[in-house]
């Protein structure tokens, strides 16, 4: 009889939203005599273990998967211990897996963020420019434009936002699943070379205009042969004003198209 060793709990995916979705959990050990008992943690201290979804209380193999349906909030699942008649081994207690839920909207943006949920989809204006998308009043301020992709959207689109007035400026931007997030851009499917693992993302820094291309359609998202944004889902174009030489006069962004 050999006690369990190298046991872990993992989640897939580890984040999602704004719609509820199923999360897969995998319980695994590198070794140990089967069966291995799984003791889930009593998360709310009511005296009963919190067994998620269709997850087991015993492993008949060294790797077992299960599903937690309709997850619509931040969650952490914990196996208090993996054990058999030889004991629980070493390092196999309190193994956790977490899921982060993004409810959508601008709730997590800074209080002075410039937010807009009506500007997309927005075609170019001929002739001339559209009215201001937003005016930055301090360096470090963020603008977030909600992009809920139409259900019938297909193909590659070209987006352009013009930097006007306000003197020299430097901004960081990204198209992300989360409002006001400039660090985690979507995969730029159109301009990535998946064969050589040269993956580009819809993010960058610029001192002038912001322009980029993106693909829309049924999916899958962010892989070879897929799309940047899935039709029917919500994303955000986020822009952070890193530096504007005349920020006290207002630094503007006008738009020509975000189709």
């Amino acid at each position: 009889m050999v006690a369990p060793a190298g046991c872990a709990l993992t989640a897939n995916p580890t984040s999602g939203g704004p719609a509820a979705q199923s999360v897969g959990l995998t319980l695994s050990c590198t070794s140990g005599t089967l069966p291995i008992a799984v003791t889930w943690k009593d998360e709310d201290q009511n005296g009963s273990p919190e067994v998620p979804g269709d997850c087991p209380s015993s492993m008949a193999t060294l790797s077992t998967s299960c599903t937690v349906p309709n997850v619509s909030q931040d969650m952490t699942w914990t196996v208090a211990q993996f054990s058999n008649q030889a004991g629980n081994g070493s390092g196999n207690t309190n193994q956790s897996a977490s899921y982060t839920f993004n409810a959508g909207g601008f709730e997590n943006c800074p209080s002075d963020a410039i937010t807009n949920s009506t500007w997309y989809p927005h075609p170019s204006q001929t002739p001339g420019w559209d009215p201001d998308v937003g005016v930055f009043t301090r360096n470090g301020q963020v603008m977030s434009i909600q992009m809920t992709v139409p259900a019938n959207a297909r193909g590659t689109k070209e987006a352009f936002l013009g930097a006007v007035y306000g003197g020299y400026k430097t901004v960081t931007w990204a198209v992300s699943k989360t409002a006001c997030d400039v660090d985690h851009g979507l995969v730029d499917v159109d301009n990535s070379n998946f064969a050589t693992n040269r993956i580009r993302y819809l993010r960058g820094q610029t001192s002038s205009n912001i322009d980029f291309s993106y693909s829309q359609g049924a999916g899958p998202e962010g892989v070879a042969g897929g799309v940047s944004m899935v039709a029917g889902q919500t994303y955000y174009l986020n822009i952070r004003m890193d530096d504007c030489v005349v920020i006290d006069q207002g630094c503007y962004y006008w738009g020509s198209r975000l189709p």
Side-chain angles (χ1 to χ4, degrees):
M1 178 73 65
V2 178
C7 298
L9 177 68
T10 58
N12 183 36
T14 57
S15 63
Q21 68 172 337
S22 295
V23 178
L25 298 180
T26 299
L27 305 94
S28 62
C29 296
T30 57
S31 61
T33 301
L34 299 170
I36 295 173
V38 177
T39 302
W40 294 93
K41 187 174 181 179
D42 178 11
E43 298 286 358
D44 57 11
Q45 306 298 310
N46 66 355
S48 301
E50 309 295 328
V51 182
D54 61 1
C55 293
S57 58
S58 179
M59 295 168 57
T61 64
L62 290 177
S63 181
T64 301
S65 296
C66 53
T67 301
V68 185
N70 300 318
V71 181
S72 58
Q73 61 183 343
D74 290 350
M75 292 293 298
T76 296
W77 302 280
T78 303
V79 174
Q81 67 177 20
F82 296 83
S83 62
N84 59 18
Q85 292 181 1
N88 61 12
S90 176
N92 298 322
T93 58
N94 294 322
Q95 296 297 306
S96 296
S98 296
Y99 174 83
T100 301
F101 181 76
N102 174 26
F106 303 110
E107 291 85 353
N108 296 322
C109 288
S111 59
D112 69 342
I114 305 163
T115 59
N116 191 307
S117 59
T118 62
W119 202 76
Y120 169 91
H122 206 86
S124 60
Q125 300 293 299
T126 306
W129 295 84
D130 289 337
D132 303 340
V133 182
V135 182
F136 292 92
T137 58
R138 70 170 179 87
N139 290 321
Q141 191 175 16
V142 178
M143 174 191 296
S144 187
I145 301 171
Q146 183 173 297
M147 302 175 68
T148 300
V149 184
N152 61 350
R154 297 291 185 273
T156 298
K157 305 292 183 180
E158 300 291 331
F160 179 90
L161 269 76
V164 296
Y165 302 138
Y168 185 85
K169 58 181 68 65
T170 302
V171 302
T172 299
W173 67 273
V175 181
S176 169
K177 289 185 175 180
T178 303
C180 297
D181 172 21
V182 298
D183 297 317
H184 305 95
L186 302 174
V187 173
D188 182 357
V189 171
D190 300 314
N191 297 298
S192 292
N193 188 332
F194 292 92
T196 59
N197 199 31
R198 294 179 180 176
I199 310 302
R200 298 183 62 180
Y201 297 89
L202 293 176
R203 67 181 182 217
Q205 190 177 63
T206 180
S207 59
S208 58
N209 302 326
I210 297 173
D211 60 271
F212 58 95
S213 61
Y214 59 95
S215 54
Q216 303 174 120
E221 178 185 286
V223 300
V227 296
S228 302
M229 293 190 284
V230 175
Q233 295 193 16
T234 297
Y235 306 88
Y236 300 86
L237 169 59
N238 302 310
I239 306 167
R240 184 183 65 212
M241 181 61 68
D242 296 321
D243 182 54
C244 178
V245 296
V246 287
I247 193 68
D248 57 324
Q249 299 176 25
C251 280
Y252 296 73
Y253 257 94
W254 280 13
S256 62
R257 63 182 183 273
L258 194 62

